[in-house]
Every structure is written in structure tokens, then in C-alpha cells.
Amino acid sequence: MSLLRAEWTKFRSVRGWVLSSVAAVLMILLFPVTGLSGGAPEETAEVPTGPDGEPVASAYYFVRRTLSGNGQLTVEVTGLSTLRGTPWAKAGLLITTSPEPGARYAAVMITRDHGVRMQHDYLHDRPGPAGGTHWLRLTRSGAVVTGEASADGTHWSIVDTVRLPELATTVEAGLFVAAPPRAEGLGTATDVATATFTNVVSTGRWATVQPDGDPREAGGSPSDDGDESAPRVDGGAAPDGSGDRGTDTKGGTITSSAGETGTSAGGAGSDSEGDRRDAGAGRKARAVADGWTGEQVGAETAGFGGYPPGMSGGFTLAGHEFTVTGTGDLGPAVRSEMPFGATIGELLAGTFPAMVVIVVAATLMWTTEYRYGLIRSTLAVGPHRVRVLAAKAAVFGGVTFVTTLAATAVAIPVWSSLARGLSVYLFPAGTEVLFRVAAGTAAVLAGVGVLALGAGVILRRSATAVTAVVTVTVLPYLLALIPFVPGPMAQWLTRVTPAAAMAVQQTLIRYPQVDSVYTPTNGYYPLSPWGGLTVLGAWTVVVLAVAAVLLRRRDA
């Protein structure tokens, strides 16, 4: 204890060391002001929020009808192709409370490279049977939705059964197609998928949309003694025997079951490049054919990249076959699709200049004693050299942890509020995550300070020690943040160097069902927060051990 008191007294009495702690705190509190900016609220696109309050991607082409009560929909997916080969391109059946972004849903689907899946409410994903599956079935019974798959349309396997709380009596259900952006190199590229569906069979009370826009029920109702459980094969003649007309989103035509065509939304015969470009950018338009309504959901949401030039979403119906083209995704939102957003870790950008200040102060705490010959007096008070080193490390590490913890605890809520006031979208984080970020950041700075103290003992020269510590702590992380650094190198730098500890500031989650650019540049680290902190701890222990050995063998 006497050594700790002596080192604490010495720390307080040296004005430069105290000022270094103050400077580190100010860096954390004030540094974000240099880079934080926002836009006018009216210029900020909507970020859909899922049922659990998380940001989600909710964009897809939906060919739907309205289902009242319980019902079932069966389909055979005979083809799925994409422009760029996105692995998670998907086509299948979907039921939702509303065709609005962020609404609850359940879907069974066939994907390009990941087989049959059952997904619901954006975060949940369950694989289905492997190999040769083309048939899908979705059954609604109250709030319970069951997804099934089959290779022959006769023998069925349940993929998953999910419960959608507060599912209304009347829901929207039908065919959907989505194509998430494909991860290519350092970024992503918009993709488009086209799927063909046939043998669409529905049971239950389904409302159809007629050319005049009036909904009518198919399958009967209690008032007219119809059998609502009788299956209906879609893609044939409309219930009243008439051929339906409809428009697609690119201003072309849709062929109805009767072989008639309708004029485009842009005017009769209009199919100009300008019309296609507007639709590709996400203009909300509807198409109607044989009682089915088709539209691009989520066209105006943040993260929706639209369609490539000359392409657009839509569907056609010829005989019993639907052909549906769409883009977008249903799943958790990822950073690469919302680069305008900010994370809690980015609000603590002052961590890096604060780290440099702490490294300088920690090395000087030991090297100045060698420079001015004070080391002999220090060792005279405490002849056990390793204990002296431990006392200095405890004092400096403790002071750094306490002061920077206070700084991060203030900076996070203050800068979060300011960011929202500037219309900067802030990725949400729970209370436990915020506590981990604050305490973890303080632990990282304290650990780096102790590591720098050990480096000062080993190298004895301030400039050399500071350069060495900055090279292995700050520099690797800054390199990993450069967008042009290859992903594998960025992953390696934040896995084996002390910079791995910055994973404590990670608030984003990597989801296996979303293909994206998961790099430190976008806020994703290869190690878990505590795994990264362990790497820094290992470096610090090794450096202190070497310092202790050299301290015992060297002359003062």
C-alpha cells in the first residue's frame, strides 16, 4: 500500500501527467463535433422498424390477395434467376399483417444458394429440407403460420411453425420475390431476381381485386353458402369469367388469363426510358391481373437501392404461370445498405486521439525517471523493482479507467441526443450494450496505457516507446478503417493486434442470413467484444512480463 500511495502522490504532483488525463477526457467528449453532420429531416429516408424495434430491410415485390380468417396457399416454384447471382435471392409465399415496411410477416421460400428457408419478423431464419424441393405451402390458423416444403407436391415436410402475435383476422398473402444487393469486393451491387410460379392453389376466403378496383370474395362466404374451404386454382379465368387488365411498374403491359392486355401507368403504349428509370428508382405502382395485386413494397425506404437502369419490378400471368421480378430484401438492416447512419462507437471517435495522449503519458511516467535520474530514488523507496512497476501500472491504469469511464458515460447520451437532433440515423443499442461500450472503452484505454508503461521500461526512450506502442495499437485500427484495405487484411489486423480490443465498441450484429460487407469499416469486427479485449490483455501481460524481467536484470 505504501508503494501505491507513493505513486499516487507522485502522479498528482506532476502537472503534465494530470493534464494528460484531462486532455484524454476532453478528446472523448469533444472530438465527435469535428465529423458529425446531418441532413434536413425531409431529406432523410424512412428506416423501417421491425416488431422488436430493430432497423430492418423491408423491400420486395409482392403479388398478393387478401385472406380473411384461416387459409392456405400452395405453389410450385419452377425457376429462380438473378442478374448478379446473389446467394440470398429468394422467391416464395408470404403472409403479412400489412404490405407496409416493417410489418410482421412469415414466409417460406426457395433461395438461390441456401435452399428452402422459413423466415419471419426479419430476424428469424430456419433451414428446410435439402435437395430438389420446388413446392411450397403456407398455412394460416389463427396467429399460427406453418411453412411446408415438398419435392413432388404430395409428400410434405414442415419447415417451421411460427406465431405472429396480434395477427389480424384479415391479412395479405401471396407470392414474393426479393434480391438483396450482392457483396462484391469492398461494396455491394444491386441485384434483381425473376421467379416463375405455377400450380397456385388457395383455400379459404380470399378477396380478389377486379379491374374496377372493387374487392370481391372468391371461395364463397357464410352469407352465400359458398364453401370457403374448397381449393381454388389461380391463373385461370377470373371468378366472374372476365379477363382482367393490369399494368406493371415499368409502364409496359400485363397479359391476363384471357389474353387481353392493359395500358401502362405512363399512358397507352408508353414504355420510354424515362418511365423505366422512374420505376427502377422505386416509384410505387400497382399491377392487377386475375384478382392479384402486385407492387414493390418498401420502394421509398432507406437502404432500398432500386432497380438497375432499364429494369423494373412487375409480374405477368400467362395461363397458370406467374412470372415475378423484384429486388430488395426482408431481414435485418446492415450497415453497407445504410451508410448514412451512425453507430455508438462512431460517437466515441475521440477514443483514438485520447489513446495517443495516454500512450505518451504512460511512457513518460517511466522514461522521465531514467532521463532525470529519479529512478534511483524511486527504487530506493521500493527496493522490489517488480512491485514498483506493478504500483505504477495500477495507479496509471486505475486513473485512466475511472476518468475515461466518466467521459464515455457522459459522451454517449449527449452525442446520441445531438446526432438525432441533426437527423443522423443512430443504430439502436440496448442499455446493456451501452454499458459494455462505455466500460469496455475505458478498459481498452487503461490497458493500452499499462502496455505503454511496460514498453517504456523495455525501451527506456520516450520517442521509441511511443512510436512502438502507437504502431501496434492505433495504426492497425486506422488501417483497418480505410475502405480500400482488402477485407482479409482488415480482419487480420483487428484479430491479432491490440487493435482487436476496439471490438468492445461494436453494436452491430452479423446475421448469417444476410450477405454483406462485414468489415471494421462498416462496424463489424472478427472477434466478439470480450474476445477482442482478451487479445489486448494478452499483449499487455506479455509486455509487462518482459519489462519485469529486464527491470530485475538491468542497472538503474
Side-chain angles (χ1 to χ4, degrees):
M1 292 297 295
S2 60
L3 280 176
L4 285 175
R5 283 195 297 268
E7 291 300 330
W8 168 239
T9 301
K10 186 185 297 183
F11 184 90
R12 290 185 303 163
S13 63
V14 179
R15 186 167 178 266
W17 297 349
V18 174
L19 290 178
S20 67
S21 296
V22 174
V25 168
L26 292 177
M27 290 290 184
I28 294 172
L29 291 175
L30 302 179
F31 197 79
V33 76
T34 62
L36 192 61
S37 63
E42 62 272 12
E43 298 175 356
T44 304
E46 173 195 2
V47 177
T49 301
D52 297 323
E54 72 288 349
V56 298
S58 185
Y60 54 99
Y61 198 89
F62 194 20
V63 182
R64 60 185 173 85
R65 292 167 62 199
T66 301
L67 170 64
S68 297
N70 299 332
Q72 187 178 84
L73 198 58
T74 303
V75 70
E76 180 184 8
V77 183
T78 57
L80 174 62
S81 61
T82 65
L83 180 66
R84 298 181 182 273
T86 297
W88 281 101
K90 56 196 72 172
L93 301 173
L94 182 143
I95 184 170
T96 180
T97 55
S98 167
E100 294 296 327
R104 288 189 180 274
Y105 77 95
V108 62
M109 67 199 72
I110 290 175
T111 64
R112 184 183 183 276
D113 292 344
H114 298 280
V116 174
R117 320 291 292 197
M118 176 82 173
Q119 298 180 352
H120 73 282
D121 288 352
Y122 306 95
L123 303 182
H124 309 285
D125 173 67
R126 176 71 64 87
T133 300
H134 299 288
W135 290 79
L136 302 173
R137 175 180 289 167
L138 203 59
T139 304
R140 184 262 176 99
S141 178
V144 177
V145 180
T146 301
E148 300 172 85
S150 172
D152 55 12
T154 302
H155 303 89
W156 293 87
S157 300
I158 294 179
V159 181
D160 199 7
T161 298
V162 302
R163 184 177 185 85
L164 302 182
E166 302 177 359
L167 189 63
T169 301
T170 300
V171 296
E172 302 295 325
L175 319 174
F176 85 99
V177 172
R182 179 178 175 84
E184 294 184 349
L186 302 176
T188 60
T190 301
D191 203 356
V192 178
T194 298
T196 52
F197 304 85
T198 189
N199 294 316
V200 181
V201 179
S202 59
T203 60
R205 292 174 57 188
W206 295 84
T208 63
V209 179
Q210 302 302 319
D212 58 7
D214 294 332
R216 303 177 188 175
E217 287 189 353
S221 66
S223 61
D224 61 11
D225 297 326
D227 181 8
E228 65 181 72
S229 64
R232 177 179 187 268
V233 179
D234 294 292
D240 60 0
S242 64
D244 296 329
R245 299 185 180 187
T247 62
D248 70 2
T249 59
K250 67 178 180 180
T253 60
I254 285 181
T255 303
S256 73
S257 58
E260 300 176 358
T261 59
T263 60
S264 72
S270 172
D271 192 22
S272 68
E273 184 67 26
D275 290 338
R276 289 197 298 270
R277 188 160 46 248
D278 288 343
R283 185 184 63 190
K284 189 170 184 178
R286 290 186 177 182
V288 180
D290 197 26
W292 292 85
T293 299
E295 65 179 298
Q296 175 67 50
V297 176
E300 299 176 355
T301 59
F304 178 69
Y307 289 84
M311 301 188 69
S312 62
F315 80 100
T316 61
L317 175 57
H320 292 281
E321 184 176 85
F322 290 80
T323 301
V324 184
T325 298
T327 189
D329 195 16
L330 278 160
V334 291
R335 182 63 186 280
S336 60
E337 303 311 313
M338 293 198 297
F340 52 84
T343 64
I344 296 298
E346 290 169 343
L347 299 183
L348 296 176
T351 301
F352 303 104
M355 187 179 295
V356 174
V357 171
I358 289 169
V359 167
V360 172
T363 54
L364 289 176
M365 191 174 182
W366 192 275
T367 57
T368 51
E369 296 207 17
Y370 279 105
R371 178 184 302 176
Y372 297 107
L374 300 176
I375 189 65
R376 293 182 178 86
S377 300
T378 299
L379 296 180
V381 175
H384 299 286
R385 299 185 177 190
V386 175
R387 293 183 183 179
V388 172
L389 175 61
K392 284 184 178 292
V395 169
F396 190 86
V399 170
T400 301
F401 180 81
V402 171
T403 55
T404 56
L405 177 60
T408 54
V410 172
I412 289 175
V414 169
W415 283 107
S416 296
S417 177
L418 290 175
R420 295 187 181 98
L422 292 170
S423 299
V424 175
Y425 179 77
L426 194 62
F427 283 86
T431 302
E432 292 183 2
V433 174
L434 295 179
F435 176 79
R436 183 253 295 164
V437 171
T441 299
V444 168
L445 293 173
V448 170
V450 174
L451 187 151
L453 182 67
V457 175
I458 296 171
L459 300 174
R460 291 192 176 187
R461 295 181 179 275
S462 302
T464 305
V466 169
T467 302
V469 176
V470 169
T471 299
V472 299
T473 56
V474 179
L475 184 60
Y477 188 75
L478 294 180
L479 289 174
L481 291 182
I482 298 176
F484 303 106
V485 172
M489 179 180 292
Q491 298 281 345
W492 182 85
L493 289 171
T494 51
R495 186 186 295 273
V496 302
T497 70
M502 294 309 298
V504 298
Q505 293 186 347
Q506 179 175 233
T507 58
L508 303 179
I509 300 174
R510 179 172 181 167
Y511 292 92
Q513 71 269 32
V514 180
D515 186 28
S516 187
V517 182
Y518 293 110
T519 62
T521 303
N522 288 324
Y524 301 93
Y525 297 79
L527 299 179
S528 67
W530 303 120
L533 197 60
T534 300
V535 173
L536 173 61
W539 274 79
T540 303
V541 169
V542 170
V543 170
L544 283 180
V546 173
V549 171
L550 294 178
L551 187 61
R552 295 178 66 177
R553 294 182 178 181
R554 286 174 175 171
D555 293 332

